[in-house]
Amino acid sequence: MINPLLADWSTPFQIAPFNAISDDDFAPALDEALAAHDAEIAAIAQNVSPASFENVIGALESAGGALDKVLSVFFTVAGADSNSAREELQRDFSPKLAAHFSRITANKALFQRLQDVWTNRDRLNLTDEQARVLMLTHRGFVRAGAALTGVEDTRMAEIKSRLAELGTSFTQNLLADERSWFMELGELDLEGLPQFVIDTARAAGEEKGVGGPVVTLSRSLIVPFLQFSACRDLRQKAFEAWAARGANGGATDNRAICAEILALREERAGLLGYASFADYKLETEMAKTPAAVRQLLRDVWEPAKAQAEADAAVLTKMMRAEGVNGDLAPWDWRYYAAKRRVAEHDIDEAEVKPYFQLERMIEASFACATRLFGLEFKRLDVPLYHADCRAWEVTRAGKHVAVFIGDYFARGSKRSGAWCSAMRAQAKYPEVQTPIVINVCNFAKGTPALLSYDDARTLFHEFGHALHQMLSNVTYESISGTSVARDFVELPSQLYEHWLDVPEVLAEFATHYETGEPMPKALLDKVLGAATFDMGFQTVEYVASAMVDLAFHEGVAPADPMAKQAEILAEMDMPAAIVMRHATPQFAHVFSGDGYSAGYYSYMWSEVMDADAFEAFEEKGDAFDGQLAASLERNILSSGGSRDAAELYEAFRGRMPGVEALLKGRGLAA
């Protein structure tokens, strides 16, 4: 019997047949797919014909189809619907996959053929896209250590394998801490909480199997609890548990893992001849150097800290007025900020939230894509990996474009945060394939599900990533969709957030879940007017995390990352009532893999561009200007990594931006 992961999928649009796949299928399918990929790589390396673009680069692009199928399904369910069996498989797979890909880049015969193509590139009459793919492939092999020999080559393989193991352990430890902790609430503890928080807490209690409401470490529950609970002792208990994820001692403690990861990254960069891991990592990004990143962060840090300190003084005064002595603490900030928002902007989250129904916000994200890019969305009835998931066919002018899957609700089996991934990326070689894209979020369930304004922004953000995948129009999968510089990849997602704030979008889709009435204009004006409220706090917690990440990867790796974190924050004069958005033991962006290591700044680098890019629409006086939308698609969304990121942005905007638009957009401009 053919393993369903390796069979030809006769499902609509070749979506994975989730209902036919069991956890027992993954290990044998992976072994078979790895063996098939090994054979494909060996055939490329041992080909006796003269090396050419087609028989080296083209062949590499064509190889690994079975492996892609297996891993696309496995990593989807491992992240969004994990269980003990999948966690064990992930621990087994991580070193196996690291060793597999290390063997490819360490294959000297393969690298020699690649080197031959690279040396002869000017005589091969390559298209611009082929030249780009060749450069990126050659550079990737060199940066992976393909040119190393002897003990250095062996050591590089060991480092990669160990880093894969550690990244998996970090992620699973964090998930375990988030899944295991909850705080039961008595009926008196619910007094003063908005009904949507109470409903969410009761639903969480049902999931945990206890008889009443609970607070969990899901952001969609703990943040509103910190905003609205008048019980300072409970806020403190919940916040301290949230802040302690990954640092609770015992088997799930991540601190030693972080130290080892940083040391191994430093050693890896040294083997490749770089002064630091940050130098290695940033070489391929738009920023290029640690100095450029630090300058951006400093340009934003000072105005953000000044605003946060001014806000802290106001919140402290409010706290004193309630008879609370002592200093403003991290578990106080959101509570008093929410009160201040009501007082100064006459906005209460409990008044706003009924207008942000999940279903209507999904419709809004689709409607904006229809107006901007002509996309249409039709529900698909297909088996998916969890009952919470849903799928749509995406078309344009009647032609199939993509499949989009949404998995929106928080649950214990899902890691925290929100993300977008392609279960299949767009490509035209070796044959045409359309993308299958998934957005995963962690919104609180409800009847109906109601979002905070920040939740709605998250939905638009992840859908911006999805558009980058769905509108991709390149030949080779290796440069498709979001396969771009890390500090460019957030541009489409952060730019798409702006359309949530377009008044006509909110007027149409921000409708009350009971009455169906649109949000009153007075409330709509207040929501938009308060868009930059508490931005000092938000910017400080983010920039602090980015600064710590950058410092971790410059120079000698710290033996004690927590001591180094404290040192960096002290040097920055971090406001006492604000903590890093992601403290080291829970900083999954940086420690669950290499993706955002020395690169957490990327969100802000991209925000400089997204603020400037949306100004182009504002200058036109039309958020849905057709010519600009076509230029955005042509120069950014459809181009993937086919050209340098700066070149793509300049093609759209005519120039590179400065930090001014970002500070203005965040309300931090002088």
Side-chain angles (χ1 to χ4, degrees):
M1 182 177 178
I2 298 177
N3 190 306
L5 284 158
L6 300 173
D8 290 333
W9 294 342
S10 58
T11 51
F13 310 108
Q14 292 77 54
I15 298 172
F18 289 103
N19 58 338
I21 296 168
S22 74
D23 289 343
D24 292 337
D25 295 321
F26 286 117
L30 180 68
D31 288 342
E32 190 171 338
L34 288 173
H37 197 212
D38 281 336
E40 291 168 327
I41 296 300
I44 300 168
Q46 295 163 14
N47 190 337
V48 297
S49 301
S52 67
F53 182 90
E54 288 74 18
N55 66 24
V56 177
I57 303 300
L60 285 171
E61 291 282 334
S62 303
L67 185 59
D68 288 344
K69 288 175 67 174
V70 174
L71 295 182
S72 71
V73 176
F74 177 72
F75 283 118
T76 294
V77 298
D81 193 26
S82 190
N83 57 34
S84 58
R86 292 168 188 171
E87 289 173 6
E88 180 63 33
L89 286 168
Q90 197 167 5
R91 287 190 291 271
D92 291 342
F93 288 1
S94 291
K96 188 178 291 189
L97 288 168
H100 173 75
F101 290 109
S102 289
R103 283 197 304 274
I104 294 174
T105 53
N107 186 317
K108 301 309 177 188
L110 176 63
F111 182 60
Q112 184 56 59
R113 289 182 64 77
L114 174 57
Q115 188 70 33
D116 290 345
V117 180
W118 176 248
T119 301
N120 294 319
R121 62 191 181 279
D122 293 337
R123 298 192 291 273
L124 298 179
N125 195 30
L126 302 178
T127 67
D128 289 344
E129 187 174 332
Q130 288 174 330
R132 176 77 173 168
V133 172
L134 171 58
M135 183 279 290
L136 292 172
T137 305
H138 181 263
R139 187 177 72 181
F141 268 70
V142 172
R143 286 170 56 82
L148 297 177
T149 58
V151 294
E152 291 183 338
D153 190 23
T154 301
R155 180 57 183 155
M156 179 62 79
E158 293 171 349
I159 289 172
K160 290 180 184 177
S161 178
R162 181 60 178 156
L163 283 171
E165 293 176 6
L166 292 169
T168 297
S169 296
F170 182 97
T171 302
Q172 293 186 352
N173 288 346
L174 183 57
L175 177 60
D177 278 4
E178 290 174 346
R179 191 164 48 198
S180 63
W181 189 91
F182 61 89
M183 179 176 70
E184 295 189 52
L185 300 175
E187 290 302 314
L188 292 178
D189 299 329
L190 302 178
E191 290 184 8
L193 293 179
Q195 191 60 46
F196 76 85
V197 180
I198 296 172
D199 292 344
T200 303
R202 292 194 189 281
E206 290 180 13
E207 184 188 4
K208 295 296 182 184
V210 300
V214 303
V215 174
T216 69
L217 297 183
S218 168
R219 181 176 287 270
S220 60
L221 177 51
I222 194 168
V223 168
F225 180 78
L226 292 170
Q227 287 176 316
F228 297 113
S229 175
C231 303
R232 193 178 190 224
D233 58 332
L234 295 183
R235 294 201 312 268
Q236 179 177 356
K237 183 178 179 181
F239 182 89
E240 289 178 341
W242 195 30
R245 291 169 295 154
N248 286 304
T252 62
D253 197 294
N254 276 333
R255 287 170 288 190
I257 288 175
C258 294
E260 188 177 354
I261 286 174
L262 293 174
L264 289 172
R265 286 177 179 163
E266 179 193 359
E267 185 181 358
R268 178 181 179 183
L271 287 172
L272 296 170
Y274 293 89
S276 71
F277 184 82
D279 287 288
Y280 160 77
K281 189 67 182 295
L282 293 171
E283 178 186 49
T284 61
E285 308 300 336
M286 292 183 73
K288 302 300 182 190
T289 67
V293 173
R294 189 176 295 101
Q295 186 61 54
L296 167 69
L297 296 175
R298 284 176 175 168
D299 286 346
V300 178
W301 173 254
E302 290 304 328
K305 185 162 78 76
Q307 183 63 59
E309 288 172 340
D311 291 340
V314 174
L315 301 184
T316 299
K317 187 176 180 180
M318 293 173 63
M319 188 172 74
R320 295 279 189 274
E322 291 189 353
V324 180
N325 296 317
D327 296 328
L328 183 74
W331 47 87
D332 297 317
W333 190 292
R334 288 176 175 84
Y335 178 70
Y336 288 102
K339 283 177 169 284
R340 182 186 180 191
R341 188 169 183 244
V342 172
E344 294 186 2
H345 295 277
D346 194 23
I347 296 180
D348 185 345
E349 185 76 17
E351 180 187 9
V352 172
K353 200 162 186 175
Y355 291 96
F356 285 97
Q357 301 172 64
L358 171 61
E359 302 305 321
R360 294 292 281 154
M361 290 301 104
I362 294 171
E363 290 177 31
S365 68
F366 289 175
C368 290
T370 300
R371 292 184 64 181
L372 288 165
F373 309 115
L375 300 179
E376 299 289 344
F377 300 82
K378 180 181 178 182
R379 279 295 295 269
L380 286 173
D381 183 13
V382 292
L384 298 169
Y385 61 86
H386 193 279
D388 287 344
C389 299
R390 64 196 82 176
W392 293 263
E393 182 190 6
V394 186
T395 60
R396 179 156 57 183
K399 182 180 178 181
H400 176 77
V401 173
V403 170
F404 174 68
I405 299 171
D407 179 4
Y408 296 107
F409 295 123
R411 53 180 175 267
S413 61
K414 184 188 289 187
R415 65 180 170 89
S416 61
W419 63 93
C420 173
S421 59
M423 296 193 67
R424 183 177 68 215
Q426 177 271 331
K428 301 174 186 175
Y429 181 91
E431 58 186 16
V432 173
Q433 63 183 40
T434 54
I436 298 174
V437 186
I438 181 168
N439 276 177
V440 183
C441 300
N442 270 283
F443 304 140
K445 264 190 175 179
T447 309
L450 301 178
L451 306 183
S452 68
Y453 184 64
D454 285 343
D455 286 340
R457 290 186 72 90
T458 296
L459 187 148
F460 268 69
H461 178 101
E462 298 306 332
F463 194 70
H465 281 309
L467 287 172
H468 202 180
Q469 296 278 15
M470 293 189 289
L471 292 173
S472 178
N473 184 24
V474 298
T475 301
Y476 299 99
E477 185 174 338
S478 63
I479 56 168
S480 175
T482 57
S483 298
V484 299
R486 181 65 63 177
D487 49 10
F488 189 69
V489 76
E490 297 298 335
L491 168 60
S493 55
Q494 293 177 185
L495 176 58
Y496 203 65
E497 292 179 34
H498 289 274
W499 274 275
L500 173 64
D501 294 337
V502 173
E504 63 188 281
V505 173
L506 287 174
E508 181 177 358
F509 294 99
T511 57
H512 197 281
Y513 78 97
E514 290 180 326
T515 66
E517 293 295 315
M519 184 183 292
K521 186 177 185 305
L523 181 57
L524 175 61
D525 290 344
K526 287 187 289 187
V527 169
L528 294 175
T532 61
F533 178 76
D534 212 25
M535 196 56 74
F537 168 87
Q538 294 178 39
T539 308
V540 162
E541 63 167 4
Y542 167 81
V543 174
S545 294
M547 281 288 209
V548 168
D549 167 44
L550 182 65
F552 274 167
H553 293 99
E554 288 187 283
V556 178
D560 184 349
M562 299 305 293
K564 181 67 172 177
Q565 172 185 297
E567 175 189 323
I568 297 162
L569 296 179
E571 289 174 355
M572 295 172 65
D573 192 22
M574 181 78 168
I578 306 178
V579 300
M580 293 167 60
R581 182 172 298 179
H582 306 289
T584 297
Q586 62 214 226
F587 208 162
H589 284 79
V590 172
F591 292 105
S592 65
D594 272 357
Y596 282 90
S597 55
Y600 191 62
Y601 77 92
S602 301
Y603 292 93
M604 187 146 285
W605 190 276
S606 293
E607 188 177 344
V608 170
M609 289 182 287
D610 85 63
D612 179 69
F614 195 72
E615 271 197 350
F617 286 90
E618 292 177 323
E619 289 163 6
K620 288 279 191 179
D622 181 4
F624 295 97
D625 182 86
Q627 286 187 323
L628 269 180
S631 176
L632 177 63
E633 178 179 352
R634 180 175 64 254
N635 292 306
I636 294 176
L637 297 176
S638 72
S639 295
S642 61
R643 292 155 65 194
D644 180 77
E647 184 183 339
L648 293 175
Y649 189 81
E650 288 179 4
F652 170 68
R653 195 66 165 109
R655 54 165 173 74
M656 289 301 292
V659 75
E660 296 78 15
L662 177 147
L663 293 175
K664 177 184 173 184
R666 285 185 170 240
L668 301 175

